[in-house]
Amino acid sequence: QKEVEQDPGPLSVPEGAIVSLNCTYSNSAFQYFMWYRQYSRKGPELLMYTYSSGNKEDGRFTAQVDKSSKYISLFIRDSQPSDSATYLCAMSEKWSGGSNYKLTFGKGTLLTVNP
Amino acid sequence: NAGVTQTPKFQVLKTGQSMTLQCAQDMNHNSMYWYRQDPGMGLRLIYYSASEGTTDKGEVPNGYNVSRLNKREFSLRLESAAPSQTSVYFCASSGLAGIQETQYFGPGTRLLVL
């Protein structure tokens, strides 16, 4: 079983729809949970991060973490064509014996929002 | 403040040729990383450098070498390129985003090995 599983999609929705993106994980050592957005032919950029179980909201975006189920979600409300991108979940744990954090990424979900 | 920059943006190599991918960051971050991204495989860590003067292997280090030249610069070298190294390469550096250390990525280098 891979440490992080993410449905690759592709996912196509009409403008204004609510989008739900999900990842599951198996490693209980993961401490922080992040969502990156990657536009075509660009580098990933950090969208949101969370630490504890529960919800975190930032404008039209809500990140949700359920540590008991090892499941994280990203919701996008009132989706816009400019939201069309690949969304990658990422989870961090400390390197053994060090102070740095290692990130493990999901494979990404390709989202297209149609006008 | 340019963030993380990478050169070149695109490169075509023949099998057996060598090249160095350059990366620089101006955010005063200690840690830097090299990833490759392939369709269906996601981002995979090649090498990382926790601080100036140190480097360590990641998930897929074979066929690559790295140099942490100074705090700003971290280069990735392919000594003898193979078609399996055709990929998009991303450099990243890590720093605090709020309370969590997270990674900031460069724009990528697209490499084609014929």
Side-chain angles (χ1 to χ4, degrees), chain A residues 70-83:
Chain A
K70 296 189 174 65
Y71 188 89
I72 71 170
S73 300
L74 178 70
F75 298 97
I76 307 174
R77 290 187 300 280
D78 187 24
S79 56
Q80 302 295 309
S82 58
D83 295 328

Side-chain angles (χ1 to χ4, degrees), chain A residues 83-102:
Chain A
D83 295 328
S84 298
T86 296
Y87 290 81
L88 301 106
C89 62
M91 307 182 187
S92 73
E93 61 181 314
K94 271 197 174 182
W95 294 107
S96 58
S99 60
N100 293 89
Y101 287 83
K102 168 189 173 185

Side-chain angles (χ1 to χ4, degrees), chain A residues 6-44:
Chain A
Q6 182 175 10
D7 186 341
L11 187 59
S12 182
V13 302
E15 184 175 353
I18 296 174
V19 176
S20 172
L21 304 167
N22 311 294
C23 288
T24 59
Y25 64 96
S26 57
N27 186 349
S28 299
F30 288 140
Q31 297 177 322
Y32 288 90
F33 305 89
M34 284 150 274
W35 287 95
Y36 282 79
R37 178 174 60 195
Q38 185 176 19
Y39 290 115
S40 180
R41 306 181 84 84
K42 301 287 187 185

Side-chain angles (χ1 to χ4, degrees), chain B residues 28-76:
Chain B
N28 202 34
H29 289 164
N30 286 320
S31 301
M32 298 184 73
Y33 310 80
W34 276 105
Y35 291 88
R36 59 178 290 174
Q37 187 176 39
D38 303 288
M41 301 295 290
L43 281 161
R44 293 182 292 170
L45 183 65
I46 304 171
Y47 269 94
Y48 70 98
S49 170
S51 61
E52 186 178 350
T54 68
T55 61
D56 282 289
K57 295 177 180 178
E59 182 184 353
V60 288
N62 291 345
Y64 306 95
N65 285 301
V66 290
S67 295
R68 183 72 182 269
L69 305 170
N70 48 54
K71 192 171 186 180
R72 290 188 64 248
E73 298 171 289
F74 188 36
S75 63
L76 178 72

Side-chain angles (χ1 to χ4, degrees), chain B residues 2-114:
Chain B
V4 179
T5 57
Q6 293 182 236
T7 55
K9 285 186 168 51
F10 182 71
Q11 184 73 45
V12 179
L13 291 179
K14 294 181 179 178
T15 296
Q17 287 185 316
S18 62
M19 78 162 294
T20 299
L21 282 66
Q22 306 286 354
C23 173
Q25 53 93 8
D26 62 2
M27 296 176 281
N28 202 34
H29 289 164
N30 286 320
S31 301
M32 298 184 73
Y33 310 80
W34 276 105
Y35 291 88
R36 59 178 290 174
Q37 187 176 39
D38 303 288
M41 301 295 290
L43 281 161
R44 293 182 292 170
L45 183 65
I46 304 171
Y47 269 94
Y48 70 98
S49 170
S51 61
E52 186 178 350
T54 68
T55 61
D56 282 289
K57 295 177 180 178
E59 182 184 353
V60 288
N62 291 345
Y64 306 95
N65 285 301
V66 290
S67 295
R68 183 72 182 269
L69 305 170
N70 48 54
K71 192 171 186 180
R72 290 188 64 248
E73 298 171 289
F74 188 36
S75 63
L76 178 72
R77 182 160 178 84
L78 286 70
E79 291 291 351
S80 179
S84 61
Q85 294 178 304
T86 293
S87 187
V88 182
Y89 291 85
F90 289 101
C91 176
S93 67
S94 62
L96 286 177
I99 61 171
Q100 163 60 11
E101 180 167 321
T102 192
Q103 293 181 17
Y104 299 86
F105 286 81
T109 294
R110 294 181 173 272
L111 176 65
L112 175 62
V113 183
L114 302 175

